[in-house]
Amino acid sequence: LFRRAQTGQGQHVTPTLTDTAFQLMSAQITASLRSGKELTFQTTDRKHAGQSCYVAKDGEQIMLGAGNDQQYARFWTLVGEPERGAASLAERYGRAADERARIAALMLTKTAQEWEDCLQQNHSAAARLRTVQEAWDGPQTEYRNARQWLEDGDCPGVEGRLSGPVAGFGADVDGPRVD
């Protein structure tokens, strides 16, 4: 919109959830990167057992996203217990503690990466929980120019090189910048 107002020409803008999350947490991420203090998750447990976080065999965490009826049924079929996937939402909430315990036991049979690969290959929403630092250092952040580097002297009162999130979107011309 700024480009259109200034030049009369529009452009394509591509928002992503990761870029947006980085931007919404920009102060925390920049402080963490500068201080070296790792950011942690506040909570990863949800009311629904299929949409919660579990510890895998390697001690890493895997977040499941089997929330709707089809996803939930697909998950339980994949792990060999299709009868559990046929339950209604009310039934699932009623036996959430039991299902949470069963899923927790299942998750201990593979590493988080093995679960992520297996579940995603079978169209079941899941991902290994990555630290903010892992996501920040990941290929998408670099590819999408979601971070900007400020060199020594660019940021008054801050010595040395500093990086931080720029925006929750990319643009095809003159992308967003902190300065």
Side-chain angles (χ1 to χ4, degrees):
L1 294 176
F2 291 119
R3 181 175 170 77
R4 183 179 302 273
Q6 292 174 344
T7 68
Q9 296 178 336
Q11 67 176 317
H12 293 281
V13 175
T14 56
T16 70
L17 291 175
T18 304
D19 293 357
T20 302
F22 283 151
Q23 182 59 35
L24 292 172
M25 298 172 53
S26 61
Q28 295 91 336
I29 289 173
T30 303
S32 172
L33 293 171
R34 189 73 176 163
S35 70
K37 182 178 178 188
E38 186 176 322
L39 289 173
T40 58
F41 298 99
Q42 291 180 344
T43 182
T44 53
D45 288 329
R46 305 291 182 261
K47 181 177 180 181
H48 191 307
Q51 290 180 305
S52 289
C53 194
Y54 298 91
V55 175
K57 182 180 181 177
D58 57 358
E60 296 285 325
Q61 293 182 307
I62 181 97
M63 184 74 185
L64 300 184
N68 68 35
D69 292 343
Q70 294 84 1
Q71 292 167 334
Y72 202 69
R74 189 178 308 121
F75 169 78
W76 284 111
T77 298
L78 180 63
V79 298
E81 299 183 32
E83 65 283 354
R84 286 186 183 261
S88 71
L89 185 61
E91 291 171 320
R92 293 193 309 243
Y93 283 151
R95 63 181 194 206
D98 174 59
E99 297 213 342
R100 217 182 281 290
R102 181 65 188 129
I103 294 171
L106 286 166
M107 294 298 113
L108 291 172
T109 64
K110 297 180 184 183
T111 67
Q113 190 61 60
E114 289 169 337
W115 275 117
E116 179 180 84
D117 294 343
C118 173
L119 292 168
Q120 287 184 2
Q121 287 169 4
N122 288 281
H123 310 289
S124 189
R128 180 178 64 81
L129 243 55
R130 286 151 175 83
T131 64
V132 172
Q133 187 69 52
E134 281 181 282
W136 186 254
D137 292 340
Q140 282 299 312
T141 307
E142 185 71 31
Y143 173 78
R144 294 187 46 73
N145 295 319
R147 62 180 159 211
Q148 181 176 347
W149 289 96
L150 300 174
E151 300 302 329
D152 193 13
D154 286 347
C155 188
V158 177
E159 293 181 21
R161 196 169 192 228
L162 175 69
S163 71
V166 179
F169 60 89
D172 60 355
V173 179
D174 297 329
R177 292 187 50 84
V178 173
D179 56 356

